[in-house]
Amino acid sequence: MRYSALSILKQAFAGNLGWKPAWREPQPKSHYDVIIVGGGGHGLATAYYLAKEFGIRNVAVIEKGYLGSGNVGRNTTIVRSNYMLPGNEPFYEFSLKLWEGLEQDLNYNVMLSQRGIISLFHNDGQRDHYIRRGNAMMMEGVAAELLDRETLKKMLPFLNFDHGRFPIIGGLLQRRAGTARHDAVAWGFARGADRLGVDLIQNCEVTGIRRENGVVTGVETTKGFIGCNKLALAAAGNSSRVGEMAGLKLPLESHVLQAFVTEGLKPCIDHVITYGAGHFYISQSDKGGLVFGAEIDGYSSYAQRGNLATAEHVMEEGVTMIPGLSRVRVLRSWGGVMDMSMDGSPIIDRTSIENLYLNCGWCYGGFKATPASGFCFAHLLAKGESHHVARALRLDRFERGFPIDEAGAGTQPNLH
Amino acid sequence: MASLISCPHCGTRPKEEFLIRGDATPVRPAPMAAEEAWHDYAHLRANPRGRIREHWQHVAGCRRWLVVERDNFTHEVFGVTDAAKAGEGAR
């Protein structure tokens, strides 16, 4: 069923009794051309683009919980392409371009709001660094603007400009960045993939990867064995555990990242704002709640909950940047399991095992990448070679000495 | 994560006094070991769910490197030993 203003009107007069479920609930077939493990944003996007762009429709997405039950529904919904390094920036810009046409493409309202992201800086060295980042973006054809203190004061009068230790002296703005409704992204891709014939199999956990003569032939699941030609892993925080089923040891460590939302307020924060003296970022949802977060907790964790000390630190950063936040009540906080890679950048690549493909290492930045990650992973699965914007995101880059380390933190996953 | 850690030298202390480095299982290869061994040590992690060993440093206390054995899903802490005693020099 295609969604349109007319369909809403028709259903309104028909008592809204004619809406159909957005996707089927099929039983798994015995064999698929491609099986994707993980029904989150990236897995669903991969299935959608495989079917739509590359004509491979005999595809199943296998999800151990319900669709979108992991990080795609746990992030702070920020979409941007203000990266610096050549291996990253074209990829994220490709993603942002896909975001810009996504609603029409999916026939689904993902509530993309290009409200702009402002990254604040607090000293001369940091300003130089942000100018460099802005220039790197412009070299890839992405617009970036440097804002001085006076302009910022007009735009964001509520900031603490004269903090004793971290005064705000300017910011880097990417106007096309913004936010999107994260659950709708998962649902939109799921519905789009389902309409093209992809089987979305929920509540089905992969328990093993079957190999014959070293070649992957299918997966053992809680619903029995399912055969496939190609197996694509998009298991985010659980990538190491799924990879281990095929004997892979990956350059990943799983960490917990927390996010927070406050009570609903009238519109007060019009942009996405990031704090340069910490890692704090904040935006206001369409419902009015302030959505914010900061660093990962810093210890290995598979628990989808974080530590109170980190929560306190996040609040302190927020109040340092916007003193008025101290009067706002936090409604909820939650955690997601991040597949932190050794250089802070993702991996979309084949593996040393035939027919086994890998999409992981998204650290805490996977949401913005959802469309491009799906597109490039589908490209790799369909054509057997990397999409040109994802060529640097190789699994063997660590071994070959070509890490993509935006933070410059080295092989220390809890520091990225 | 547990809020209190029992340092073998300083007693029970809040977790915020410690710095966490990461997985304590990789063992530094010999200086002239093959490149694969160094790659394995520097980059690859088993990253299991469940019982793990992690390097922590008590920066606001004795400054000793410790090995904390804990569960990364339930957050239960099983034991804390000095890294030297655990038979491995911390980096």
Side-chain angles (χ1 to χ4, degrees):
Chain A
M1 167 188 256
R2 205 183 146 71
Y3 297 151
S4 64
L6 186 68
S7 71
I8 292 173
L9 206 62
K10 267 188 183 165
Q11 287 300 327
F13 284 108
N16 280 317
L17 295 171
W19 295 111
K20 301 274 188 310
W23 52 81
R24 300 164 291 131
E25 290 198 18
Q27 285 304 308
K29 291 192 266 183
S30 60
H31 191 272
Y32 291 93
D33 290 343
V34 178
I35 289 180
I36 298 162
V37 180
H42 292 224
L44 294 167
T46 305
Y48 173 72
Y49 288 115
L50 261 181
K52 181 178 167 270
E53 297 290 333
F54 303 101
I56 299 176
R57 298 189 174 194
N58 186 21
V59 175
V61 177
I62 299 180
E63 164 58 44
K64 75 173 152 79
Y66 58 90
L67 295 181
S69 53
N71 296 341
V72 72
R74 291 170 182 271
N75 54 72
T76 46
T77 78
I78 299 166
V79 168
R80 60 183 173 90
S81 68
N82 55 356
Y83 282 75
M84 188 175 76
L85 297 179
N88 271 336
E89 180 58 10
F91 173 80
Y92 287 103
E93 176 55 16
F94 177 59
S95 198
L96 191 53
K97 286 196 174 115
L98 288 173
W99 278 110
E100 285 170 332
L102 195 63
E103 290 166 338
Q104 287 69 27
D105 192 28
L106 292 176
N107 179 230
Y108 205 90
N109 186 6
V110 300
M111 295 166 71
L112 178 71
S113 160
Q114 291 179 287
R115 56 186 69 180
I117 187 168
I118 299 172
S119 311
L120 303 174
F121 48 82
H122 308 267
N123 55 53
D124 292 344
Q126 201 171 27
R127 180 178 54 206
D128 290 348
H129 175 66
Y130 278 31
I131 290 172
R132 182 180 171 214
R133 192 188 336 170
N135 284 336
M137 288 163 65
M138 287 195 277
M139 281 169 71
E140 299 290 348
V142 182
E145 291 168 50
L146 198 71
L147 305 177
D148 61 17
R149 189 178 149 100
E150 295 316 309
T151 316
L152 266 183
K153 273 189 168 171
K154 282 188 197 116
M155 288 171 80
L156 311 169
F158 47 80
L159 294 180
N160 187 2
F161 284 91
D162 298 311
H163 187 274
R165 190 168 170 204
F166 304 117
I168 294 165
I169 62 170
L172 183 69
L173 166 66
Q174 185 188 18
R175 286 191 195 273
R176 286 164 57 236
T179 59
R181 166 92 169 87
H182 51 194
D183 295 315
V185 175
W187 299 333
F189 274 120
R191 173 172 167 269
D194 178 86
R195 276 156 53 110
L196 294 168
V198 172
D199 281 356
L200 308 176
I201 299 158
Q202 307 183 61
N203 300 311
C204 178
E205 185 169 354
V206 170
T207 54
I209 294 174
R210 192 184 284 184
R211 280 189 286 171
E212 281 165 29
N213 301 323
V215 179
V216 170
T217 55
V219 284
E220 312 285 352
T221 75
T222 47
K223 293 189 179 177
F225 174 77
I226 311 173
C228 66
N229 294 344
K230 287 176 181 171
L231 184 63
L233 306 182
N238 284 303
S239 293
S240 295
R241 297 178 62 223
V242 185
E244 201 262 325
M245 293 173 190
L248 286 181
K249 198 175 172 191
L250 300 174
L252 299 176
E253 230 177 69
S254 293
H255 284 258
V256 65
L257 176 68
Q258 302 190 59
F260 307 82
V261 67
T262 70
E263 59 190 333
L265 303 173
K266 287 186 178 177
C268 55
I269 295 183
D270 302 330
H271 307 84
V272 180
I273 310 170
T274 73
Y275 190 47
H279 201 157
F280 184 82
Y281 35 88
I282 190 166
S283 65
Q284 189 168 20
S285 79
D286 292 342
K287 257 194 312 195
L290 303 179
V291 184
F292 60 93
E295 297 94 342
I296 53 175
D297 279 23
Y299 47 85
S300 161
S301 177
Y302 276 93
Q304 287 174 319
R305 61 185 188 282
N307 194 269
L308 273 179
T310 307
E312 185 183 14
H313 177 69
V314 174
M315 308 292 166
E316 279 172 351
E317 280 188 332
V319 172
T320 308
M321 181 171 105
I322 307 175
L325 282 186
S326 64
R327 301 301 177 92
V328 184
R329 280 164 293 201
V330 171
L331 273 192
R332 288 186 294 125
S333 75
W334 60 94
V337 182
M338 311 288 119
D339 35 337
M340 299 300 296
S341 69
M342 288 291 157
D343 59 358
S345 293
I347 295 158
I348 302 176
D349 204 357
R350 61 178 78 238
T351 67
S352 54
I353 299 164
E354 205 168 324
N355 293 344
L356 187 64
Y357 295 77
L358 192 63
N359 177 324
C360 65
W362 293 99
C363 302
Y364 42 77
F367 178 67
K368 71 181 86 69
T370 305
S373 164
F375 198 104
C376 295
F377 200 27
H379 185 283
L380 174 70
L381 287 160
K383 303 203 166 184
E385 59 180 60
S386 294
H387 188 279
H388 66 89
V389 297
R391 270 186 201 146
L393 311 179
R394 301 288 299 273
L395 176 59
D396 65 358
R397 66 175 183 264
F398 304 98
E399 207 172 342
R400 292 184 301 117
F402 291 91
I404 311 168
D405 191 346
E406 288 274 343
T411 57
Q412 188 73 23
N414 62 351
L415 295 185
H416 285 289
Chain B
M1 189 54 230
S3 298
L4 298 172
I5 296 292
S6 294
C7 173
H9 308 293
C10 312
T12 303
R13 307 296 305 168
K15 152 191 170 297
E16 288 64 54
E17 290 188 359
F18 298 81
L19 175 144
I20 304 161
R21 187 188 146 229
D23 197 347
T25 24
V27 178
R28 183 183 279 260
M32 298 314 288
E35 279 188 14
E36 295 82 55
W38 278 100
H39 167 58
D40 193 80
Y41 167 74
H43 302 124
L44 302 184
R45 297 289 177 266
N47 193 21
R49 185 175 85 177
R51 207 170 168 128
I52 59 154
R53 296 166 74 243
E54 215 168 32
H55 271 138
W56 291 45
Q57 190 190 10
H58 196 183
V59 284
C62 57
R63 298 198 63 81
R64 292 292 295 175
W65 279 97
L66 310 169
V67 173
V68 177
E69 193 163 356
R70 61 183 189 89
D71 190 304
N72 64 7
F73 188 61
T74 64
H75 293 335
E76 188 182 352
V77 176
F78 301 111
V80 185
T81 18
D82 191 282
K85 216 171 209 172
E88 33 185 301
R91 184 164 67 177

